[in-house]
Amino acid sequence: MTATPARERTVHQADAVDGPWWRHAVIYQVYPRSFADSDGDGIGDLPGITARLDHLVDLGVDALWLSPFYVSPQADAGYDVADYRDVDPVFGTLDDIDALLDKAHRLGLRVVVDLVPNHTSDEHLWFAAARAAAPGSPERARYLFRDGRGRHGELPPNNWTSMFGGPAWTRITEADGRPGQWYLHLFDTKQPDLDWSNPQVRTEFEDVLRFWLDRGVDGFRVDVAHGLVKADGLPDWAGVVTMIDGSDPVDGGAAPHGRTSPMFDQDGVHEVYRAWRTVLDSYPGDRAMVAEAWVEPLERLARYVRPDEMHQAFNFSFLSAGWDPAALRSVIDRSFAANDTVGAPTTWVLSNHDVVRHASRLGLSDPTRRPNGIGDGDEQPDAELGLRRARAASLLVLALPGSAYLYQGEELGLPEHTALPDELRQDPTYTRSGGAERGRDGCRVPLPWQQDAPAFGFSPNGASWLPQPAGWREFTVDAQRGRPGSTYETYRSALRLRRQHQLAAGDLTWLPSDPEVLTFTNGRVLVVTTMGSAAVQLPPGARVLISSDTSQTGDVVAPDTTVWALLD
Ligand code: GLC
């Protein structure tokens, strides 16, 4: 079989190379509690991150995104914010974030922080005030409190279920001790949803944006960006809600939850982002927002990145396409078609803190399956095949025009922890689903830095909020640095070549190939990803720049491999 170019089909034109940074950036997600622990409490922290920023410079990324580090009871690992303007003591202080920003900027790295506007923690001052106040009060009107149904209000106001399993409503006890109103929480009971039709809520978040922009952040990753506005009247909904990360639902048969549900992708959200855009645009520098919006089809997602709204939106359709050449080709085509109509870059992603790491996902017998966590007793991925495909998938992503997000540890080829003891699980999805969903802890295990240090160098004393598998010894940064062909060195080389050949600002032209092979050019670089069982011969004169296959020698591309080659 050969990948010789014949008839071509261009699906994306090159972009100006000197555009704003976010159009082409590789952004590395730091999950603070699992990156580096400086004080030995077993939980990563801001000083730990600052001390290890050199790792990101060595790797060659442009920016980092920090998952939440704000004051929080940590009911959902910080996505339950009690104070949006302060740092949780477990992660450090405001001085620590200032020091992190300062050092990152000196090293040439931009910093994006997480913003969680759909809900607060139930320990936020506003929610405490809402509980204490009477039904119908202005304090309650910042959240979605409603009377219950049934004769005595004993039934929830509608039939919605939480993304984490169980009902989406919790009933409170009123100040006089009687059972009272219900409040909506699309997530955990400790994450009450805000009412975005309330002007106070809007003003507050614009002010929070300014607070962090004034401190020097370069942008925001907006949590549940498709969820802020709910359909008028909060109508019952007969659809099945998938888990928040769009993973396979417990009962199998759901549609993507962004499409038709009354809780997601309502037109009203766009007004919020237009207002935020004016706030960001009033600051110097190119500050940017990225939407976490599990929305399909891609034309609907593109509405979040219209010129006066957000800058980027994670391409979760791509993440969900598995290791399926037809699905990947189709999603790449549809992504460019949709985003090119609004002039926005595509934003590729394979892993994050909500999904099974791609080195494990792609090693499942059905590599399009997306379980919500893997545990003892579940099908265990084929580790070797998973890593092989993960490296190929990552090289595919890094060859695509646009921006890309990396999740900490993927540059080491880290697998999911697929055998965490259930009693150590902390993700609320595990308990709220009655154990039916293993949840997201397996992708959140602290990073291994050094082979011969306690907790592989994550903490000074070996403490680690989740245990690291012993097999991670071979994945540590120090075991891989300087070792040709290691996953870490492969990412480094890929990032260097991506810059050198201006792939992020490039074009994409498909070349005819076997249905199980993706073959395209980006500028003068030929990219071949083999997903079937047959090897592929590169065209004559093509010079291999990089291969995901450690044993690559000549011009034959083995199965489950991505090669970048320079065309004459
Ligand atoms: C987003 C976050 C996820 C969190 C949820 C609720 O999907 O990525 O981790 O649990 O929102 O805030």
Side-chain angles (χ1 to χ4, degrees):
M1 202 185 303
T2 163
T4 311
R7 204 160 48 82
E8 307 184 342
R9 192 164 58 90
T10 299
V11 294
H12 177 70
Q13 303 289 346
D15 192 19
V17 269
D18 55 356
W21 68 276
W22 46 268
R23 294 188 72 86
H24 308 137
V26 174
I27 302 173
Y28 180 102
Q29 179 187 358
V30 171
Y31 195 64
R33 61 175 44 236
S34 300
F35 191 73
D37 171 21
S38 72
D39 60 11
D41 65 357
I43 301 182
D45 46 46
L46 297 176
I49 299 167
T50 306
R52 294 226 185 240
L53 285 175
D54 293 342
H55 173 69
L56 305 190
V57 176
D58 280 355
L59 189 60
V61 300
D62 304 289
L64 57 141
W65 146 38
L66 293 166
S67 279
F69 49 79
Y70 314 109
V71 175
S72 162
Q74 308 292 328
D76 183 22
Y79 282 95
D80 48 318
V81 180
D83 182 350
Y84 290 84
R85 296 179 183 79
D86 206 350
V87 174
D88 196 282
V90 85
F91 297 124
T93 62
L94 280 172
D95 284 345
D96 292 330
I97 185 71
D98 288 345
L100 189 159
L101 285 166
D102 185 51
K103 181 162 176 205
H105 288 154
R106 272 190 286 118
L107 292 171
L109 294 166
R110 313 249 180 179
V111 182
V112 171
V113 296
D114 222 303
L115 186 76
V116 189
N118 179 67
H119 43 265
T120 68
S121 160
D122 68 336
E123 297 184 29
H124 190 284
L125 283 180
W126 274 9
F127 195 75
R131 254 185 211 282
S137 60
E139 289 82 358
R140 291 241 168 132
R142 295 171 181 141
Y143 294 90
L144 291 160
F145 278 88
R146 294 289 182 274
D147 292 333
R149 296 201 272 206
R151 272 189 60 192
H152 307 287
E154 72 279 12
L155 299 172
N158 71 22
N159 69 353
W160 297 1
T161 51
S162 149
M163 296 288 110
F164 291 162
W169 295 91
T170 292
R171 193 173 195 187
I172 64 159
T173 303
E174 301 291 352
D176 62 7
R178 280 192 279 188
Q181 287 195 299
W182 298 72
Y183 65 89
L184 178 72
H185 51 89
L186 292 184
F187 297 92
D188 192 69
T189 179
K190 286 184 67 62
Q191 293 168 293
D193 279 51
L194 288 162
D195 184 347
W196 275 86
S197 67
N198 185 330
Q200 268 187 43
V201 172
R202 297 194 181 216
T203 310
E204 168 68 1
F205 274 87
E206 286 173 25
D207 197 61
V208 169
L209 288 176
R210 288 196 185 90
F211 178 87
W212 291 103
L213 290 165
D214 287 340
R215 289 201 110 82
V217 305
D218 298 285
F220 301 92
R221 175 266 189 188
V222 180
D223 190 63
V224 200
H226 57 323
L228 275 50
V229 174
K230 279 77 179 173
D232 276 349
L234 310 182
D236 275 345
W237 188 54
V240 181
V241 174
T242 57
M243 305 308 287
I244 176 57
D245 62 353
S247 61
D248 309 332
V250 193
D251 64 2
H257 60 66
R259 195 171 298 176
T260 50
S261 62
M263 59 285 264
F264 290 117
D265 197 29
Q266 302 297 307
D267 289 345
V269 290
H270 297 287
E271 202 185 303
V272 174
Y273 303 133
R274 282 195 277 270
W276 290 7
R277 181 65 179 252
T278 61
V279 174
L280 264 71
D281 285 349
S282 71
Y283 280 79
D286 292 310
R287 319 279 177 124
M289 290 181 284
V290 55
E292 188 226 12
W294 292 85
V295 168
E296 284 191 333
L298 283 152
E299 293 72 37
R300 289 291 297 186
L301 184 64
R303 291 156 54 91
Y304 289 76
V305 288
R306 288 178 287 195
D308 59 347
E309 298 195 31
M310 301 229 194
H311 304 75
Q312 304 179 318
F314 293 108
N315 192 331
F316 293 130
S317 305
F318 179 82
L319 183 152
S320 307
W323 194 238
D324 174 334
L328 283 166
R329 196 190 322 256
S330 156
V331 80
I332 291 170
D333 283 354
R334 288 183 290 116
S335 304
F336 284 124
N339 278 23
D340 287 348
T341 61
V342 292
T346 39
T347 302
W348 311 105
V349 60
L350 286 165
S351 280
N352 65 32
H353 66 292
D354 290 330
V355 302
V356 170
R357 284 181 176 279
H358 63 285
S360 296
R361 236 165 51 216
L362 300 180
L364 290 170
S365 54
D366 172 2
T368 57
R369 208 160 71 75
R370 298 215 306 98
N372 184 8
I374 297 175
D376 249 346
D378 297 332
E379 180 201 336
Q380 294 292 303
D382 176 333
E384 205 180 309
L385 180 65
L387 179 57
R388 182 176 181 88
R389 288 179 171 165
R391 291 164 50 102
S394 299
L395 278 198
L396 169 63
V397 158
L398 293 174
L400 292 170
S403 168
Y405 278 77
L406 307 180
Y407 176 49
Q408 67 177 38
E410 69 166 87
E411 78 280 21
L412 306 175
L414 274 194
E416 184 88 355
H417 193 325
T418 57
L420 264 180
D422 284 340
E423 62 277 13
L424 297 182
R425 295 190 184 278
Q426 302 202 13
D427 181 357
T429 54
Y430 178 70
T431 36
R432 287 190 64 88
S433 70
E437 303 279 347
R438 302 285 184 159
R440 302 163 293 177
D441 295 301
C443 66
R444 299 175 174 179
V445 173
L447 284 193
W449 295 91
Q450 293 154 269
Q451 285 199 308
D452 296 316
F456 298 128
F458 166 67
S459 66
N461 54 2
S464 177
W465 71 280
L466 286 174
Q468 301 152 304
W472 282 19
R473 204 181 138 71
E474 63 183 282
F475 289 96
T476 58
V477 178
D478 68 349
Q480 297 196 45
R481 188 178 275 148
R483 183 157 59 79
S486 70
T487 303
Y488 172 75
E489 290 298 344
T490 303
Y491 268 77
R492 273 186 78 198
S493 304
L495 289 170
R496 186 172 41 75
L497 290 164
R498 176 182 156 94
R499 205 180 291 266
Q500 186 182 331
H501 295 282
Q502 301 183 333
L503 299 182
D507 55 1
L508 190 144
T509 300
W510 291 113
L511 306 181
S513 64
D514 180 271
E516 295 194 311
V517 182
L518 300 184
T519 308
F520 64 86
T521 55
N522 178 341
R524 286 181 56 222
V525 176
L526 172 73
V527 180
V528 178
T529 300
T530 50
M531 304 171 79
S533 52
V536 164
Q537 177 84 44
L538 292 173
R543 186 163 63 78
V544 174
L545 292 170
I546 189 169
S547 171
S548 63
D549 177 5
T550 43
S551 59
Q552 177 85 35
T553 45
D555 54 3
V556 173
V557 187
D560 293 318
T561 299
T562 294
V563 162
W564 302 359
L566 202 58
L567 293 171
D568 287 331

